């Protein structure tokens, strides 16, 4: 069994400090083989916020992998945003904006979906998609993509869907992607989405915010994925009374047409 902890939208610079130690404690106690961080580690991409984010990552016992979010490029420094948008992220978090990891048979491929020329809306770059498809073609087991922006949004979502999201999701499905992790909206959503052209149900796991005070009507949370063969047990961990506790459990099984709930 492979265990993945998925966190997102930590937003150092606008966090609930009383949740910092409980979140670290819960992640370290989860028995995860990997912590996947889907962007927005900071609120305004300032050096002090990145230092706080890196200090958080350094306290995690499991290895971690991270991609940037739209808040991780400077908003208040137009020249830096235009010329070196990822300089601070690279300095404090990782030089690799689309990292890859292998945990047992599981292949994890990160996407950098940030568009420095836009504040909210992201985009999928062709080179990242090609890199993911190459990695997945060589993968011996489950294939997991992670990105800050979701590839699909619920009806009525106030933010624009990222550029090239739908054809990129179809391409990922054709390349054999099994799971897509994302954040950005500060809302929990975990269900298969049906690709129209590829005809496969890819499981999306969309978590809210781990630490931010910008809750948008939901709780601080993160996800635990227990992957074994063609089954995934997905636990939503929610902050309640100063601790992160299991709030829901969903089980998904993979068939010829992809994932379905049990």
């Amino acid at each position: 069994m492979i265990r993945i902890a998925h966190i997102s939208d930590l937003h150092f610079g606008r966090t609930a400090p009383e949740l910092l130690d409980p979140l670290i404690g819960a992640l370290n106690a989860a028995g995860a083989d990997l912590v996947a961080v889907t962007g927005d580690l900071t609120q305004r991409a300032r050096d002090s916020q990145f230092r706080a984010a890196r200090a958080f990552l350094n306290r995690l016992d499991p290895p971690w992998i991270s991609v940037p979010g739209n808040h991780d490029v400077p908003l208040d420094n137009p020249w830096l945003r235009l010329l070196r948008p990822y300089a601070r992220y690279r300095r404090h978090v990782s030089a690799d904006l689309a990292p890859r990891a292998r945990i047992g048979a599981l292949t994890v491929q990160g996407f950098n979906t940030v568009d420095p020329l836009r504040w909210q809306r992201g985009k999928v770059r062709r080179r990242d998609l090609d890199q993911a498809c190459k990695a997945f073609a060589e993968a011996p087991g489950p294939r997991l993509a992670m990105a800050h922006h979701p590839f699909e949004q619920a009806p009525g979502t106030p933010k624009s869907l990222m550029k090239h999201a739908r054809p990129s999701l179809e391409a990922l499905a054709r390349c054999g992607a099994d799971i897509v992790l994302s954040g950005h909206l500060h809302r929990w959503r975990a269900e298969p989405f049906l690709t129209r052209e590829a005809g496969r149900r890819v499981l999306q796991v969309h978590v809210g915010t781990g630490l931010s005070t910008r809750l948008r009507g939901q709780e601080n949370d993160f996800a635990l994925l227990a992957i074994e063969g063609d089954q995934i047990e997905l636990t939503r961990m929610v902050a309640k009374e100063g601790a992160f506790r299991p709030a829901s459990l969903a089980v998904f099984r993979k068939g010829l047409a992809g994932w379905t709930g049990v």
Side-chain angles (χ1 to χ4, degrees), residues 12-173:
F12 279 95
R14 190 171 177 176
T15 60
E18 69 275 10
L19 293 181
L20 179 61
D21 287 343
L23 179 57
I24 292 171
L27 291 169
N28 287 343
D33 299 293
L34 183 73
V35 177
V37 189
T38 53
D40 277 4
L41 286 85
T42 68
Q43 179 66 17
R44 285 291 179 262
R46 294 173 180 146
D47 281 306
S48 60
Q49 296 171 1
F50 274 119
R51 283 193 290 270
R54 185 55 194 246
F56 168 87
L57 295 172
N58 287 345
R59 293 178 63 189
L60 297 180
D61 293 338
W64 54 267
I65 185 172
S66 175
V67 294
N70 58 292
H71 278 261
D72 295 324
V73 296
L75 179 65
D76 53 359
N77 187 327
W79 289 111
L80 188 61
R81 185 179 180 88
L82 181 63
L83 300 176
R84 300 178 63 210
Y86 306 107
R88 294 173 180 171
Y89 180 92
R90 291 181 188 273
R91 183 185 311 133
H92 295 287
V93 181
S94 174
D96 193 348
L97 305 179
R100 184 183 305 168
R102 175 74 62 80
I103 304 294
L106 175 71
T107 296
V108 181
Q109 178 64 57
F111 278 73
N112 173 23
T113 57
V114 177
D115 184 351
L117 301 181
R118 295 175 179 264
W119 171 232
Q120 290 285 355
R121 191 183 185 193
K123 67 178 180 181
V124 181
R125 294 165 175 83
R126 183 72 218 185
R127 65 177 180 271
D128 286 355
L129 191 59
D130 290 343
Q131 179 174 295
C133 286
K134 183 176 185 298
F136 291 163
E138 301 167 352
R143 303 158 180 87
L144 185 152
M146 53 181 286
H148 179 62
H149 296 80
F151 286 78
E152 183 183 83
Q153 295 178 171
T157 301
K159 293 184 179 181
S160 298
L161 186 64
M162 70 172 166
K163 191 175 181 181
H164 309 312
R166 172 51 63 180
S168 297
L169 176 60
E170 296 285 348
L172 281 173

